[in-house]
Amino acid sequence: MDGSWITSAGIDIGTSTTKLIVSRLKLVRVSSALSLPRYEIAERELLYASPIHGTPLVGENAIDADRVWAIVSGELDQAGIGKGDLKSGAVIITGETATKTNAKAIVHRLAERAGDFVVAAAGADLEAYLAGKGAGADRRSNRIRGAAVNIDIGGGTANAAIFKRGKTIGTVTFHVGGKLIRLDGTGKILYIAPSIRPWLRMNGFLIETGTVATFTQLKDICYALSRSMLSYFLGGNDALADWNLSNHGLIVGKPLDRVPEIEEWMVSGGIGRLIRDRAAPDNLAETAIHQDIGPLLAYALMECMAASSLRIAEADETVRATVIGAGMQSTEIGGATVHLDPKLLPIRNLPVLKLEMFSEGDERWLTGSGFDAELEATMSLALRLHDSEADPPFALAITGFRAMDYSSLQNLADRLQSRFARDFPNSGVMVVLCERDIAQALGQALQRRCGQRPKVICIDQVRVEHGDYIDLGEPVSGMTIPVVVKTLAFPSETG
């Protein structure tokens, strides 16, 4: 029905906190009456935002499933929402919680109990991407026609995502967070995270658990930590080597290959909320209101950002930036031509990445450096955002071409197979989505190059966007494939 409303929930289980929001989405049909149904989100209304709960764990290595479900079910009851009321949504496990031994089992259990959800156990790079979109950095980068970075800072990490003209071009994560150092109101150090100890020693901060720190010492640490992180984005690519030497261990995982010129930044997460809502602390008691350095870190970070040459933009969302508003779903039928082994289906909740092809009439682009750069960027992003051990790890959507001759198609197959084999050598399935009717020919060309492994699924006439999730159903009426496209819905830009 055109103009219909659906109710959806977003659940985020993070390193420090767990929260839930309930939204109402107005769906408007944009396809004709003679076409398969496709909808767009015309309006989004926030119905309920839960309080911020501490994430319950069992020891250091497992999530307490029963207590997490008690939080979620209690908040759904508080919102007056039953399982039958929820038509879509998203469950995201973020931060270090995503590395817990039972993370994936928990996220699927929540989805089963709460409704038909998009589910993802997010690593730091996917969390940075989701938080950046929730904070509005992608939309800001479109408005300024340049690069904007959102830094989502919670208790243990700062996840940064860089967007340029609406597209993610890089993610990087730092050991920067409000709970890395915990203290009481007298300044007694209760805890220092192992992840931050190398940086503290390197920078001459010789504090230890059980000792008493002064307000000035903690302030110096927060300012130095903020300057170190922010300077990563300001020094230019020539200065990266020196930065890595003086800030050894501050980056979690892989650093950026290069840092683009950034025009604007914003901060989300718990530290973003403190920047927005809390005055600067003047003493130890005000600093330790949450028994950590969060308030002081927020103030130091804001001061250091203001002193830089970059503009500061206010995030659309702060502490709830990573809570996805909803997963709107639409159904299409893929396959004027297809290439697949039906035994591989069904596949659910497969993330999508887009590979933009050459424009019409410029087939030379496919054999040049332009395509290589686009493929490199797309596959590098896939490695950062998605589980390389998942099978399949993601679906590659090829868009932007009108027609393709035999030589161009074979060249495309060569490049795709070579890069996929290099980056995802353990994958048993490769999924490719095409807008146009080349799936059978491209799928056969890919399979010849892949041999027995990976198996290739290639489907055409499917329209998706970067960041969507898809379900591929079992074939109907021969080789026609039902495809459910799930679009994560983020807040609209507020200004």
Side-chain angles (χ1 to χ4, degrees):
M1 180 186 301
D2 289 353
S4 60
W5 289 84
I6 64 169
T7 304
S8 186
I11 303 166
D12 177 13
I13 306 168
T15 305
S16 304
T17 61
T18 291
K19 50 265 187 191
L20 172 148
I21 64 171
V22 179
S23 299
R24 226 168 48 115
L25 299 178
K26 185 177 183 180
L27 306 184
V28 176
R29 182 167 176 163
V30 293
S31 56
S32 71
L34 300 178
S35 303
L36 290 162
R38 186 170 183 86
Y39 294 87
E40 289 184 354
I41 301 169
E43 295 180 45
R44 178 182 181 275
E45 179 183 332
L46 180 64
L47 298 179
Y48 178 78
S50 77
I52 308 299
H53 298 271
T55 298
L57 302 175
V58 179
E60 294 294 327
N61 297 315
I63 302 166
D64 190 324
D66 292 334
R67 289 170 63 198
V68 167
W69 174 245
I71 290 172
V72 171
S73 59
E75 293 300 339
L76 290 175
D77 289 343
Q78 187 69 28
I81 300 296
K83 178 177 178 178
D85 299 323
L86 293 175
K87 301 304 180 184
S88 64
V91 183
I92 309 291
I93 291 189
T94 58
E96 294 184 7
T97 313
T99 68
K100 302 302 181 185
T101 56
N102 60 342
K104 290 187 177 180
I106 296 297
V107 83
H108 286 281
R109 179 177 171 184
L110 283 172
E112 289 172 3
R113 291 189 178 186
D116 185 14
F117 276 40
V118 176
V119 294
D125 295 295
L126 181 56
E127 183 179 358
Y129 164 73
L130 294 172
K133 292 204 70 173
D138 60 329
R139 297 182 292 280
R140 287 294 305 171
S141 71
N142 255 331
R143 285 187 62 183
I144 65 176
R145 309 302 292 170
V149 59
N150 180 71
I151 309 173
D152 189 77
I153 311 176
T157 57
N159 305 313
I162 304 170
F163 296 85
K164 187 172 184 178
R165 300 195 174 189
K167 183 178 180 180
T168 316
I169 60 172
T171 59
V172 63
T173 298
F174 303 89
H175 286 300
V176 176
K179 294 186 180 299
L180 293 179
I181 300 174
R182 299 177 193 169
L183 66 153
D184 65 17
T186 69
K188 182 179 179 180
I189 303 298
L190 306 176
Y191 171 80
I192 302 173
S195 60
I196 198 65
R197 287 180 179 273
W199 181 89
L200 290 171
R201 287 194 299 269
M202 182 177 293
N203 287 272
F205 297 113
L206 306 178
I207 60 171
E208 293 294 339
T209 303
T211 62
V212 176
T214 67
F215 180 72
T216 299
Q217 280 180 304
L218 295 173
K219 189 175 180 180
D220 288 345
I221 288 171
C222 289
Y223 271 87
L225 193 58
S226 298
R227 284 192 295 267
S228 290
M229 179 175 67
L230 297 179
S231 66
Y232 186 81
F233 301 102
L234 297 172
N237 293 300
D238 292 340
L240 284 183
D242 290 339
W243 188 95
N244 289 323
L245 285 175
S246 58
N247 293 281
H248 177 70
L250 197 61
I251 285 183
V252 184
K254 186 179 178 182
L256 291 170
D257 295 327
R258 60 179 301 275
V259 179
E261 185 174 345
I262 295 168
E263 298 179 26
E264 203 170 80
W265 49 24
M266 60 178 64
V267 180
S268 63
I271 296 299
R273 182 178 64 167
L274 289 172
I275 288 174
R276 177 181 292 181
D277 298 341
R278 184 170 292 279
D282 289 326
N283 52 54
L284 287 169
E286 291 178 1
T287 296
I289 189 170
H290 302 299
Q291 288 203 316
D292 58 44
I293 61 170
L296 194 53
L297 179 63
Y299 178 70
L301 183 66
M302 189 63 188
E303 289 275 290
C304 293
M305 289 172 66
S308 78
S309 58
L310 303 189
R311 295 188 301 270
I312 302 173
E314 186 170 330
D316 291 347
E317 298 284 344
T318 54
V319 72
R320 293 182 175 88
T322 316
V323 180
I324 309 307
M328 187 275 288
Q329 303 182 19
S330 61
T331 302
E332 297 187 1
I333 298 295
T337 66
V338 299
H339 174 87
L340 58 84
D341 181 346
K343 295 193 293 291
L344 300 173
L345 302 176
I347 297 173
R348 286 179 53 83
N349 294 314
L350 186 62
V352 173
L353 288 178
K354 287 180 71 173
L355 175 63
E356 297 285 349
M357 294 284 289
F358 51 84
S359 59
E360 185 176 7
D362 189 15
E363 295 189 11
R364 291 172 300 175
W365 186 85
L366 181 60
T367 60
S369 59
F371 179 79
D372 286 337
E374 194 68 27
L375 182 60
E376 165 70 26
T378 301
M379 297 300 281
S380 295
L381 192 61
L383 283 168
R384 284 183 174 273
L385 296 187
H386 304 303
D387 184 0
S388 62
E389 298 302 315
D391 203 8
F394 66 98
L396 182 66
I398 301 175
T399 65
F401 63 90
R402 294 286 182 181
M404 189 175 296
D405 62 22
Y406 177 83
S407 176
S408 295
L409 187 141
Q410 298 302 313
N411 187 287
L412 175 61
D414 281 338
R415 313 279 270 281
L416 293 181
Q417 184 275 332
S418 175
R419 188 57 193 258
F420 190 85
R422 192 191 87 178
D423 291 342
F424 298 92
N426 297 322
S427 180
V429 183
M430 178 183 184
V431 179
V432 179
L433 308 175
C434 310
E435 285 181 330
R436 303 284 171 175
D437 300 345
I438 64 166
Q440 188 172 48
L442 179 59
Q444 290 173 348
L446 284 168
Q447 195 66 74
R448 282 197 300 272
R449 289 158 174 79
C450 292
Q452 294 300 309
R453 183 181 176 91
K455 296 291 186 181
V456 175
I457 296 175
C458 198
I459 302 173
D460 57 28
Q461 295 191 346
V462 176
R463 292 177 298 160
V464 290
E465 294 298 329
H466 177 78
D468 284 350
Y469 285 72
I470 59 168
D471 291 350
L472 303 178
E474 296 180 11
V476 294
S477 301
M479 294 297 280
T480 302
I481 309 299
V483 181
V484 177
V485 182
K486 305 176 181 182
T487 300
L488 300 182
F490 294 89
S492 299
E493 188 170 6
T494 57

